[in-house]
Amino acid sequence: MRRLGILTGGGDCPGINAVIRAVTKSALYRYNIEMIGFNNGFKGLVENEAWLIGEAAASGILHRGGTILGTTNRDNPFSFRVTGAAGELSYEDRSADALRHIDEWNLDGLIVVGGDGSLTLAHRFTEMGLPVIGIPKTIDNDLGATEVTFGFDTAAATATEALDRLHTTAESHHRIMVLEVMGRNAGWIALQAGMAGGADIVLIPELPFNYEQIIAKVLQRRSRGKRFSIVVAAEGSFPEGLAPVYRSSGGGRKKLGGIGEIVSAELERRTGLESRATVLGHLQRGGSPTPFDRVLATRFGVAAVELAAAGRWNEMVCLQSGTIRGAPLTEAIAEIKRIDPGNEQLRAAAAVGISFGCQLPVPRQIGSR
Ligand code: F6P
């Protein structure tokens, strides 16, 4: 019987379990391939913490958030964190251990479910001869080659629900409400949720904003009798001439965060209107996947096994024009997918009055050539 490995790396997102289920079931049913799961991303591969994912473990998890394999966004096999006897930290290259464990488990190849960090590591392993298939996973939707990653739809749905809730309280109190959402250096969650949740102002990292434009929008609304305003701020958004805001977090790693509070305070100071900020945080990563994400994750999982069975290694499954395909892993990780100023969705949002806190270049209409 043939065997494949699977690991889930980086920040979790809703739909990973649906992928594990689809990979395991389709591998078994269609190709008689066994799946070996490595716990906690590349850490499990380095430390050989692995198990056979049978049919039972893959059952009943379609709707469950998180990942039954566990994950980490810290452990890089090429610079692996080692804690010494006295608690001191050092880093060593453990990639050879990882490859040895692939051999010991007799695996034909490895399926890596990850975002750009995990898929970049996966790519480094392909250069050492390890056959890999990638599956794009991130709420941020910032991976190249695919139109959408699984997890994004659920995160955007959670952010939309938050906006619906903020709307009613904003209206009652005649306040400005600022919702900070995740997304790293891409504004996909902010744009999607802002549009779906009827936000008045959406701030995204791709378009540095200025406060005058935001205030103009708030005041314009007031002149039309709307005494509240809803602002969505992507965590990576920032004012013109400044840089994204970071908050420190455990392990000394830099983490984006804090712009929502800054924008809220600045708007209150400059307009004299009451303003409140909410940081949605990891609520966007937890919980059950939406039907869209369950189905996309299932299609990705099935396609990943198909690619492996066909020997099409070093590709990532992706969604292009509604169809699941394989694309070179290198294409997926070449650069982060961000919102282009000419993006049609961005234009549609602007056309219904959403302000991006800046002057957009002259719109190109769909009918024009
Ligand atoms: O990449 C997914 C993501 O949720 C980002 O949107 C966010 O910036 C980051 O991960 C948060 O990471 P952590 O879970 O380590 O705080």
Side-chain angles (χ1 to χ4, degrees), residues 10-13 73-74 115-116 137-142 181-186 189 235-236 247 249 253-257 281-282 284-285:
D12 69 345
C13 75
N73 48 14
R74 286 163 180 260
D116 72 321
K137 161 230 64 103
T138 168
I139 62 165
D140 304 332
N141 196 31
D142 61 353
V181 298
M182 284 184 166
R184 290 201 302 179
N185 300 107
I189 298 176
E235 62 181 358
R247 63 182 158 80
S249 92
R253 292 186 321 137
K254 279 173 82 182
K255 289 268 165 217
L256 283 165
H282 290 81
Q284 291 156 101
R285 292 236 303 257

